[in-house]
Amino acid sequence: MTAHTTPAGAPAAGPRAARRRLIRELLLVAGFFTVYKAGRLLSTDRTGEAFRNADWIWDAERALRLPGEGAVQRLLLHGDALVTTANTYYAAVHFPATALFLIWLYVRRPAHYLWTRRVLAVLTAAALVLHLAYPLAPPRMLPAARLIDTGQVYGPTVYRAAPDADTLANQFAAMPSLHFGWALMLAIGVIAATRGGKRSRWSLLWLLHPLVTLLVIVGTANHYWLDAIVAAVLLGIALLLVPRPRAGAPDTDPADTGAAAGVDAPTAAGPAADADTGTRDAVHALPYRESAAETVGAGK
């Protein structure tokens, strides 16, 4: 009989590579977020410049004949439940929705995850540079806007009433709005990752997320219209800079290519590489055995 065997120790390569990849991604995301939060706080003491920029943005919007932010806020103020829901959406949906989206891509669409992570990194880095170069007071602080701080009045809010006392957030980092930029990328990422699938016809509904986010950030007086417009422009640039996964290419993590090279290729009877994870199945080909009928018929 001929036995097909696999070298001992090879099965552990897949799980080890997967754990290393997961730890690497967690450290990358956590490190980038830490750098971003620390960088935003560098411009917290530029109050005068932030309000001068706010006056300029307000005048520029009026010159461009953009609709007033107050029109959206008046719609929210029709009922306490509506404005409280908007405040909750602003405070509680931004980070969890983005995190769940990235987790889903990491598990189900690794190649699209890498593309999305890189686009978000470019967008966030560009936003950080603009936050530092152009501090901007939000419309809730601008007397000319005549808007109320819905977070402070109705709750909940993620900001303190006095910007100088807020050690966890830079309230003068209104331009661009990462709430809107991330929400728009989430919708684009879902549409791209599900294109051609059974659920692709429903994926366009994810565009409701950036639309609702836009109305929320403006209606709660946390951002100007131009904050969202600039975020969309920066996202468009990031999408041009970061190449998308090739159409028809297997949705695997390119980082696993080097790890897979060190594992012996399977025989014709061996397992195939998993299409989602890029790791090799740990189940090996069993030794070939003749059936009982063949054994009896041969007189064995």
Side-chain angles (χ1 to χ4, degrees), residues 27-298:
L27 292 176
L28 280 174
V29 173
F32 189 82
F33 178 74
T34 301
V35 171
Y36 169 73
K37 292 293 288 186
R40 276 175 51 129
L41 295 176
L42 294 177
S43 61
T44 55
D45 58 346
R46 300 163 66 182
T47 303
E49 185 180 355
F51 277 95
R52 287 193 297 272
N53 291 336
D55 288 329
W56 190 91
I57 290 294
W58 184 258
D59 293 339
E61 286 191 342
R62 306 293 75 80
L64 294 172
R65 299 187 181 277
L66 293 177
E69 288 80 356
V72 181
Q73 185 170 94
R74 285 191 292 272
L75 292 176
L76 295 182
L77 295 178
H78 275 295
D80 290 358
L82 186 59
V83 68
T84 301
T85 301
N87 290 333
T88 303
Y89 198 93
Y90 181 86
V93 174
H94 176 50
F95 284 110
T98 306
L100 290 175
F101 166 59
L102 290 174
I103 292 171
W104 176 76
L105 284 180
Y106 181 83
V107 174
R108 302 300 299 272
R109 299 289 189 272
H112 283 82
Y113 164 80
L114 288 175
W115 170 64
T116 303
R117 186 197 69 189
R118 290 164 181 163
V119 171
L120 287 176
V122 172
L123 169 63
T124 307
L128 176 58
V129 172
L130 195 51
H131 290 162
L132 297 176
Y134 194 80
L136 179 64
R140 68 177 186 271
M141 298 181 185
L142 187 63
R146 297 181 180 179
L147 299 173
I148 68 171
D149 188 341
T150 60
Q152 294 295 332
V153 176
Y154 296 91
T157 181
V158 294
Y159 303 119
R160 296 196 177 190
D164 295 338
D166 201 334
T167 59
L168 298 178
N170 177 13
Q171 298 193 39
F172 297 141
M175 170 85 72
S177 169
L178 283 180
H179 270 74
F180 180 73
W182 287 12
L184 185 57
M185 185 57 208
L186 189 156
I188 293 173
V190 170
I191 293 171
T194 58
R195 179 173 297 176
K198 295 181 180 179
R199 300 180 181 178
S200 60
R201 67 183 66 179
W202 302 105
S203 61
L204 290 177
L205 292 176
W206 281 98
L207 290 173
L208 291 174
H209 177 49
L211 176 59
V212 172
T213 300
L214 176 60
L215 297 177
V216 164
I217 64 176
V218 172
T220 57
N222 284 297
H223 288 282
Y224 305 90
W225 294 110
L226 282 177
D227 296 340
I229 293 173
V230 172
V233 171
L234 291 178
L235 177 58
I237 295 174
L239 289 171
L240 291 175
L241 293 177
V242 180
R244 285 185 53 186
R246 291 179 302 169
D251 207 344
T252 56
D253 188 345
D256 290 340
T257 305
V263 181
D264 292 343
T267 61
D274 185 85
D276 284 335
T277 62
T279 58
R280 200 168 299 280
D281 195 335
V283 180
H284 304 292
L286 296 175
Y288 173 79
R289 295 183 182 275
E290 296 173 319
S291 65
E294 291 174 333
T295 303
V296 175

